[in-house]
Amino acid sequence: MPASFPTNRSHAVVIGCSFAGLLAARILSDHFERVTIFERDPVHDYPEARRGQAQTRHLHGLLAQGFRLLNRLFPHLESTLVQGGAVVSDMGESIRWYHHNGYKLQFPSGLSGVSMSRVFLEWEIRKAVLDLPNVTLRASCTVSRLVTTPDRSRVVGVELASEEHQGPTPIIQADFVVNTGGRGSATGKWLEGLGYSRPREEEITVGVGYATRIYRRRPDDLIGANLVMTSPTPPYQKHMAFLFPMEQDRWIVSAGGWLGDHPPTDDTGYREFLRNLPVADVFNVIQRAEPLSDVYTYKFHSSLRRRYERLNRFPEGYFVLGDAVASFNPIYGQGMTSAAMQADALDSLLRRGSSLEGLWRSFFRKVAKVVDIPWQIAGCEDFRYPETQGRKPPMTDLLNGYLARVHRATHHDSVVYLQFLRVMNLMASPVSLLHPRIMRRVLL
Ligand SMILES: Cc1cc2nc3c(=O)[nH]c(=O)nc-3n(C[C@H](O)[C@H](O)[C@H](O)COP(=O)(O)OP(=O)(O)OC[C@H]3O[C@@H](n4cnc5c(N)ncnc54)[C@H](O)[C@@H]3O)c2cc1C
């Protein structure tokens, strides 16, 4: 934290204390004298799936880019996670991944990933953020609206829902407000109420359904790998299942299906679903493992992107980050990493030390660049199903034809697979798969 701050960097407010909110608070603590996070749910000092983030019961893979950024923001995080039972693995060597009718190679890729429950990861990050001397959390506090200057050109604070508020005034003044209220964030409604336009929304309907169960993990459950991924070959197959290790010697299994073709939730049906996948790797582990939970479900209707960067007018001092900007088909595991990259973009702008005036414009432009890539990767794969609805970018089918060959090459060519892994982990641009060095190997 710098010894003194410019006068307009006294207090920053973050709306929402989930993954994006915690990263935003961590970044803002370097640039503002004080940071306050407001969270609608009660928050306890243990790992928990709260009402406002029901998805956190399900398998959450952290991509290598996300892990890299988290390690930079929280230098002790990796060792703390490992001490708590998280499993760090090489993303190439330790995943048994069946995809496009074959197993991908297993080889040391140098890309590091970590596997644990999402609630445990978030709890460790939350503790680290709340240990910062200038960050405060106010849980069970809903932000009900933005407070602006009389001409509505600038956000100067937030108002708390009066029924929950116990202090003398429900108005909290702030120089900077970041909304990380998730996909259901009220930003669009608030903007309209202040006379601004809502951002245009893009939607890709995928009709994905998850069914997740936790099992006890034994050392000899899986030989030669730490994680199992069985993915479908579209458009004929719609079912998938992932099995990842978690702290406290447990497995998490998330089974899923596209376009309304979802896994059953009764014990027999769930096992049969896993047995009938193109390969029975997940079933082979769970058939003798003790279930430790019920089957939890989650329905994810569509990927959704809000185009803040295309707005001409926006209130000064107000920012939106995380799922509130873009929420992706969860099967590709991009949401947390995208939030970390957006928080990193905010950090680099604030680090320039320039005025906060007009910062929203450059911020949303940077966020759009961050979101473009995971949006493209997920959308391209989803449009392999003809029933997928949404704006299909030109050349998608042509690109998918080439990418089908890339997928097949990953079964036997480590150079192609390494580049594919780097792209899927948001460490390299998808365009790099069209580099002549890779293309030659894919096509020949
Ligand atoms: C089934 C499923 C599986 C997923 N799997 C993965 C995965 O494998 N890998 C991955 O990287 N991502 C995954 N994701 C995405 C990931 O969960 C999100 O990207 C991530 O949680 C970031 O979300 P967020 O912090 O922006 O919002 P959220 O997690 O939705 O949190 C929003 C928070 O804001 C609070 N809030 C909202 N409004 C207010 C208000 N007015 N006042 C106060 N508080 C408010 C809410 O209570 C909540 O705590 C998955 C998502 C789903 C649905």
Side-chain angles (χ1 to χ4, degrees):
M1 212 191 329
S4 66
F5 292 86
T7 45
N8 62 352
R9 295 201 184 189
S10 150
H11 186 210
V13 156
V14 176
I15 303 172
C17 186
S18 185
F19 194 82
L22 288 166
L23 298 196
R26 164 66 192 83
I27 297 294
L28 295 174
S29 74
D30 282 345
H31 303 283
F32 288 81
E33 230 170 288
R34 286 187 305 125
V35 180
T36 311
I37 312 173
F38 291 97
E39 168 54 52
R40 183 167 45 204
D41 288 341
V43 178
H44 303 101
D45 189 15
Y46 50 76
E48 58 176 340
R50 293 185 280 101
R51 203 167 141 235
Q53 28 135 258
Q55 81 274 18
T56 57
R57 282 178 185 275
H58 297 270
L59 186 149
H60 270 65
L62 179 64
L63 302 181
Q65 179 67 278
F67 192 30
R68 187 186 76 82
L69 290 171
L70 286 185
N71 280 329
R72 209 170 71 194
L73 288 175
F74 306 99
H76 304 296
L77 183 68
E78 180 171 343
S79 57
T80 314
L81 292 173
V82 170
Q83 272 167 28
V87 178
V88 174
S89 329
D90 183 282
M91 304 285 249
E93 197 167 28
S94 59
I95 307 182
R96 181 175 300 160
W97 187 0
Y98 188 88
H99 194 199
H100 280 261
N101 293 326
Y103 283 102
K104 295 188 188 296
L105 280 180
Q106 283 183 247
F107 74 105
S109 66
L111 295 176
S112 202
V114 61
S115 180
M116 71 257 115
S117 68
R118 158 62 196 268
V119 291
F120 175 58
L121 173 66
E122 185 170 315
W123 180 54
E124 288 298 349
I125 293 177
R126 192 164 68 233
K127 282 191 292 181
V129 170
L130 298 184
D131 269 353
L132 297 168
N134 59 343
V135 177
T136 311
L137 167 64
R138 289 186 57 186
S140 306
C141 273
T142 305
V143 171
S144 57
R145 71 173 185 97
L146 300 171
V147 178
T148 61
T149 48
D151 66 358
R152 299 178 169 184
S153 65
R154 170 183 302 277
V155 170
V156 290
V158 294
E159 184 171 323
L160 306 181
S162 50
E163 63 278 12
E164 295 162 352
H165 181 71
Q166 282 147 20
T169 160
I171 304 271
I172 309 293
Q173 290 187 343
D175 306 296
F176 202 88
V177 176
V178 180
N179 194 330
T180 61
R183 181 178 172 127
S185 131
T187 289
K189 195 177 80 185
W190 291 345
L191 285 175
E192 260 178 2
L194 291 170
Y196 293 88
S197 304
R198 280 174 184 257
R200 199 163 64 74
E201 293 188 346
E202 284 176 21
E203 205 170 357
I204 300 178
T205 303
V206 291
V208 162
Y210 265 40
T212 294
R213 197 166 202 189
I214 314 287
Y215 295 86
R216 189 173 310 287
R217 175 164 57 102
R218 294 183 310 201
D220 61 346
D221 277 344
L222 188 63
I223 308 296
N226 289 338
L227 304 88
V228 176
M229 295 173 34
T230 305
S231 306
T233 305
Y236 309 106
Q237 299 164 353
K238 295 202 176 93
H239 294 168
M240 50 70 71
F242 296 164
L243 170 133
F244 281 24
M246 311 202 303
E247 70 282 0
Q248 296 172 1
D249 297 324
R250 293 175 300 165
W251 293 114
I252 181 165
V253 173
S254 280
W258 263 261
L259 298 157
D261 189 352
H262 299 165
T265 53
D266 63 290
D267 188 58
T268 314
Y270 192 69
R271 287 159 64 90
E272 283 308 300
F273 180 94
L274 296 174
R275 192 210 295 270
N276 292 324
L277 289 171
V279 291
D281 291 337
V282 175
F283 176 76
N284 290 339
V285 174
I286 64 102
Q287 66 163 329
R288 57 193 192 109
E290 178 194 353
L292 299 175
S293 76
D294 293 334
V295 178
Y296 309 118
T297 56
Y298 196 101
K299 287 194 172 41
F300 183 90
H301 173 66
S302 59
S303 300
L304 179 70
R305 176 174 191 182
R306 299 191 171 109
R307 294 293 200 158
Y308 286 98
E309 77 282 7
R310 295 191 179 161
L311 292 174
N312 292 323
R313 287 175 65 242
F314 201 74
E316 296 288 344
Y318 186 54
F319 300 81
V320 187
L321 196 149
D323 276 22
V325 176
S327 104
F328 308 90
N329 180 348
I331 276 165
Y332 309 105
Q334 299 165 324
M336 296 190 296
T337 298
S338 163
M341 292 168 80
Q342 293 171 38
D344 188 51
L346 178 61
D347 189 36
S348 68
L349 284 173
L350 290 171
R351 251 173 225 292
R352 284 190 204 158
S354 49
S355 148
L356 301 181
E357 299 299 315
L359 196 72
W360 65 270
R361 208 179 277 282
S362 25
F363 172 69
F364 286 124
R365 268 195 215 125
K366 270 184 174 262
V367 164
K369 280 197 179 147
V370 166
V371 170
D372 275 347
I373 292 182
W375 185 259
Q376 211 177 63
I377 293 175
C380 216
E381 275 301 309
D382 288 334
F383 278 116
R384 285 185 190 277
Y385 294 105
E387 304 95 313
T388 301
Q389 287 169 17
R391 199 184 69 80
K392 185 171 169 178
M395 314 268 283
T396 300
D397 291 338
L398 191 71
L399 215 55
N400 272 338
Y402 174 71
L403 288 172
R405 298 181 74 139
V406 170
H407 285 303
R408 287 196 293 274
T410 62
H411 300 161
H412 54 81
D413 187 322
S414 62
V415 174
V416 175
Y417 186 28
L418 179 58
Q419 201 52 36
F420 173 80
L421 273 177
R422 290 176 53 76
V423 170
M424 293 304 283
N425 280 281
L426 305 182
M427 304 287 279
S429 156
V431 176
S432 65
L433 289 170
L434 296 172
H435 189 281
R437 184 177 67 97
I438 301 294
M439 226 176 179
R440 204 168 35 241
R441 303 180 80 99
V442 170
L443 299 179
L444 297 181

